[in-house]
Amino acid sequence: MVKATRKPLEQIFATVKGYTRVLVAGCGGCTSVCLAGGQREAIQLSDDLGVCARNEHVPQVRSVVTIERQCNPEFLSGIADLAANADCILSMACGAGVGLLADTYPTIPVLPALDTLFLGVDTDVGLYEERCRTCGDCRLADTGGICPVTRCSKGSLNGPCGGTRETGECELGDGRHCAWNDIYERLKAQGRLSQMLVVRPPMEWVDRGPRTLAQRGYQERYAGKAQEVPSP
């Protein structure tokens, strides 16, 4: 799931300081789950901005709305009245949600309140770990489900590099695991150590964007509008 974090308050206030009516738009999707942009966070941000406005004697009125998912146009039309009464919209969605909200209301400045960081997993409440960089060339079938692009400190597709300590940690320290040591142990437990001998070519940089994806089963419906899903 997408993981994001709130921008520094001073930076956010600087972007909305020149607007009198600010609509703070929370998102009920990924940023809500990672405790960065849901309803509670949107209310808190509105309150924090109120303190900033009072301290700097800036006349400003804020309203708060939480959209179920800002990355889906189905849910964006419901705030048309609120948007029409706003001088700007402060979005607490990921970058995709900010972009779609801006496309939906092109005459209103839509400003991001969050920094979108990565795709990750929940390791505890409020603690997340990067597991995917959306590289578009997934190698997890070869590496026991452990991503060398995100979990190897050097992003090595062929490892280990020679810097693995006897404890199974990376030579860079900080107690981080050597991803390729973990891959070895995983493949060994699965009886697939032969995968360690596979030489993987480097990933090629390709100017892909902006990309559009039509999943299998929908390609005929969207023929000509989306690239084909790569065959396995």
Side-chain angles (χ1 to χ4, degrees):
M1 185 173 286
V2 172
K3 305 302 179 185
T5 189
R6 200 178 89 173
K7 289 178 177 292
L9 180 60
E10 297 78 9
Q11 182 179 344
I12 298 173
F13 183 64
T15 64
V16 302
K17 189 175 180 179
Y19 300 100
T20 302
R21 299 172 299 174
V22 179
L23 175 59
V24 181
C27 182
C30 299
T31 61
S32 175
V33 176
C34 73
L35 308 179
Q39 182 173 359
R40 181 178 64 179
E41 291 77 29
I43 294 173
Q44 182 64 58
L45 177 56
S46 177
D47 292 343
D48 291 344
L49 291 173
V51 173
C52 293
R54 288 191 295 273
N55 288 342
E56 298 196 21
H57 305 289
V58 174
Q60 190 176 82
V61 177
R62 288 156 307 282
S63 54
V64 177
V65 64
T66 301
I67 302 168
E68 186 166 346
R69 287 198 303 276
Q70 290 189 32
C71 62
N72 190 322
E74 177 183 353
F75 302 111
L76 300 185
S77 60
I79 68 164
D81 291 341
L82 290 173
N85 290 317
D87 296 323
C88 76
I89 302 175
L90 187 58
S91 171
M92 301 192 74
C94 69
V98 174
L100 184 58
L101 191 59
D103 289 344
T104 305
Y105 300 102
T107 62
I108 306 170
V110 177
L111 312 170
L114 306 183
D115 288 322
T116 307
L117 301 179
F118 54 78
L119 298 185
V121 298
D122 303 353
T123 58
D124 207 333
V125 177
L127 182 63
Y128 314 105
E129 183 175 300
E130 181 178 12
R131 292 295 178 90
C132 178
R133 203 159 293 169
T134 64
C135 68
D137 187 7
C138 190
R139 309 291 179 90
L140 292 180
D142 298 334
T143 57
I146 298 172
C147 177
V149 176
T150 57
R151 296 176 67 177
C152 171
S153 300
K154 301 175 183 178
S156 176
L157 294 179
N158 296 284
C161 67
T164 306
R165 296 176 176 172
E166 292 183 359
T167 57
E169 296 180 355
C170 173
E171 64 180 342
L172 297 184
D174 298 331
R176 70 186 72 183
H177 281 229
C178 167
W180 277 98
N181 182 79
D182 292 345
I183 290 170
Y184 173 86
E185 296 295 343
R186 178 76 58 80
L187 292 176
K188 180 180 178 181
Q190 295 177 355
R192 297 201 298 144
L193 274 179
S194 59
Q195 291 292 333
M196 293 290 295
L197 302 178
V198 176
V199 177
R200 299 165 186 85
M203 293 181 178
E204 294 185 9
W205 183 87
V206 179
D207 185 6
R208 302 178 184 272
R211 292 175 287 179
T212 302
L213 173 66
Q215 295 286 19
R216 289 181 177 85
Y218 293 87
Q219 292 175 347
E220 184 175 347
R221 175 188 296 184
Y222 300 115
K225 296 183 179 180
Q227 65 189 49
E228 293 185 1
V229 178
S231 299

